[in-house]
Amino acid sequence: MTRRPTRSAHRRRPLVAVVVFPGSNDDHDAAWALGAMGAEPVFVWHDARDLPDGTDAVLLPGGFSYGDYLRCGAIASVSPVMDAVRGFAGTGGPVLGICNGFQILCEARLLPGALRPNRQLEFVCRDVNVRVESTSTLFTSRCDEGQELILPVKHGEGGWFGDEGTFVGLAARGQIAFRYTEDVNGSLGNVAGVTNERGNVLGLMPHPEHAVDPLLGSADGGLLLAAFVEAASHRALAPA
Amino acid sequence: MVVRPKQGILDPQGEAVGGSLRKLGFSVGQVRVGRVIDVDVDAQREDEARAQVERMCADLLANPLIESYEIQFEGS
């Protein structure tokens, strides 16, 4: 027998844990955008051993965790909370890493590849066009294949790299979710965002949370975040 | 330990330093920029220390996808 969600479950806003590391600085923008998409964001400090009860999704925000010391995201990737994030991802829970969050997920080996310093040695800070390469991920369910999104980037170390076998495998399995339509930072294959094999963990360098209102130049990031929150709400409704 | 970008991996920092050296008139080929990490390790023997440092490199200090490393020891 299928259990039907109760009316109160329908009303519960999906709980999205926004992990805060020392040096995170897009955490509040991310929380604001998630709230605008109907989620209930909750901040989780990096030294927490567990995610809050009832967490339906996890977001790793942008910033400069640990001052980008050693390698961007490296020190954050071994924070206590990352074991909980790894466990949550292992159950199929949606995990989104934006910019530094992407770097952290790669360093934690939750996503394939690594982010290198930009080829042009410049911090790049502008709107870019990002093409949706795969609509089979939970993050891109509201996009059309080939659709171009306008999203801002702001990073010094955003050149994605994977060895040739990794790159070919990712492309074949539809794990390359987004590509830039131009060379933005020396990223291999102009990769802007990749997912894990299961498709429930996404990392991308562009910032969807800064593009959720036409007044800010673009609302295209809302397509991605709304799909993320929708996936979280499915989890909120799922029988325990 | 010395951690440096793997051969064949783009090293924009090394390229910039190389370009600057050439502007100064030095005739240099490829330049690669890495980092040196000094760690005091409490161990009785070198192989013990080596095993510890190897684990440190694998877990945190180097990213094997893009970096290689060498370990050097100084006893005291």
Side-chain angles (χ1 to χ4, degrees):
Chain A
M1 194 179 90
T2 314
R3 269 173 61 187
R4 299 186 62 130
T6 61
R7 186 165 286 276
S8 65
H10 265 303
R11 276 205 299 268
R12 183 160 94 73
R13 287 156 70 92
L15 194 69
V16 182
V18 177
V19 180
V20 184
F21 300 92
S24 294
N25 65 6
D26 290 324
D27 42 345
H28 285 266
D29 280 14
W32 186 90
L34 289 169
M37 299 293 146
E40 184 186 338
V42 55
F43 293 113
V44 177
W45 187 233
H46 69 109
D47 65 0
R49 300 233 160 243
D50 300 298
L51 295 168
D53 283 345
T55 295
D56 298 310
V58 175
L59 188 148
L60 305 187
F64 301 84
S65 58
Y66 292 93
D68 281 350
Y69 293 165
L70 195 62
R71 295 176 308 279
C72 298
I75 299 178
S77 77
V78 293
S79 288
V81 75
M82 290 307 293
D83 284 335
V85 173
R86 187 174 281 106
F88 181 79
T91 68
V95 177
L96 171 61
I98 301 170
C99 197
N100 190 223
F102 184 17
Q103 295 165 334
I104 294 167
L105 289 172
C106 285
E107 283 287 342
R109 315 276 199 274
L110 280 166
L111 287 176
L115 281 315
R116 301 179 303 197
N118 294 347
R119 177 188 283 158
Q120 69 271 43
L121 283 165
E122 280 170 3
F123 193 91
V124 51
C125 181
R126 62 184 169 93
D127 285 348
V128 297
N129 280 39
V130 175
R131 191 170 56 238
V132 178
E133 295 289 320
S134 167
T135 52
S136 60
T137 80
L138 62 90
F139 306 91
T140 50
S141 60
R142 295 188 177 211
C143 301
D144 298 320
E145 197 168 322
Q147 184 175 358
E148 289 188 13
L149 311 178
I150 298 174
L151 298 173
V153 291
K154 49 182 180 90
H155 59 247
E157 315 213 335
W160 183 86
F161 173 81
D163 60 35
E164 201 182 329
T166 303
F167 180 77
V168 171
L170 293 181
R173 289 189 297 271
Q175 286 179 246
I176 297 175
F178 301 104
R179 291 189 202 230
Y180 307 109
T181 58
E182 58 177 317
D183 184 359
V184 168
N185 52 26
S187 201
L188 185 70
N190 290 337
V191 166
V194 298
T195 69
N196 63 344
E197 195 163 351
R198 192 168 174 176
N200 63 307
V201 180
L202 168 73
L204 78 169
M205 290 312 294
H207 288 264
E209 82 281 24
H210 297 328
V212 292
D213 190 302
L215 275 176
L216 300 173
S218 166
D220 292 349
L223 289 172
L224 198 159
L225 291 177
F228 175 60
V229 169
E230 187 184 345
S233 67
H234 290 158
R235 241 181 123 78
L237 291 175
Chain B
M1 48 232 96
V2 179
V3 182
R4 54 166 72 88
K6 266 187 183 172
Q7 273 308 323
I9 294 285
L10 181 73
D11 175 20
Q13 203 180 168
E15 284 181 10
V17 173
S20 188
L21 286 172
R22 278 174 219 114
K23 273 184 203 154
L24 288 172
F26 293 103
S27 169
V28 295
Q30 195 185 47
V31 177
R32 314 283 285 172
V33 176
R35 65 168 68 84
V36 175
I37 303 172
D38 292 330
V39 180
D40 288 337
V41 179
D42 191 14
Q44 298 300 316
R45 298 193 316 271
E46 190 176 309
D47 59 341
E48 227 176 87
R50 179 174 290 278
Q52 282 190 45
V53 175
E54 288 278 359
R55 275 214 319 281
M56 291 177 203
C57 287
D59 289 352
L60 180 66
L61 299 180
N63 184 334
L65 273 175
I66 51 175
E67 293 171 327
S68 59
Y69 61 87
E70 288 161 29
I71 302 173
Q72 296 156 15
F73 289 95
E74 285 171 30
S76 65

